[in-house]
Amino acid sequence: MIKADEIGRIIRYHRKQSGLSRQALAILAGVGKTVIYDIEKGKETIELKSLLKVLEALNIQLTLDEPSESRVGEQ
């Protein structure tokens, strides 16, 4: 399981690689600059909608993988 601080490190790395300030990324993603700061600092109460906007702005794809025995509807 990935933790909030790991997500923050990934976001910060890709933001810097893209040459973006926190303010520029916030504008690009359509979120407040505090959201970027909170994500990068590992805050655990970020809205999923906001996180997804930031990931999209940085062209980072999120993949969900569930254990096969817990898949809904499969028997």
Side-chain angles (χ1 to χ4, degrees):
M1 184 167 122
I2 191 165
K3 296 182 181 181
D5 61 333
E6 293 174 77
I7 293 171
R9 283 194 296 270
I10 292 167
I11 297 293
R12 183 172 51 253
Y13 172 80
H14 286 283
R15 174 180 63 79
K16 288 185 174 190
Q17 288 295 309
S18 299
L20 296 169
S21 66
R22 286 183 178 139
Q23 179 68 34
L25 177 55
I27 292 168
L28 186 63
V31 299
K33 64 181 177 182
T34 304
V35 170
I36 306 301
Y37 179 83
D38 288 345
I39 291 171
E40 290 187 358
K41 294 299 178 185
K43 186 174 180 182
E44 295 182 358
T45 57
I46 301 298
E47 289 186 17
L48 179 59
K49 181 179 174 181
S50 296
L51 177 59
L52 292 174
K53 287 180 177 183
V54 172
L55 292 172
E56 183 177 352
L58 291 170
N59 199 28
I60 298 172
Q61 293 184 355
L62 179 65
T63 303
L64 300 176
D65 188 40
E66 65 176 327
S68 59
E69 59 270 358
S70 70
R71 292 191 181 176
V72 177
E74 291 186 11
Q75 298 190 15

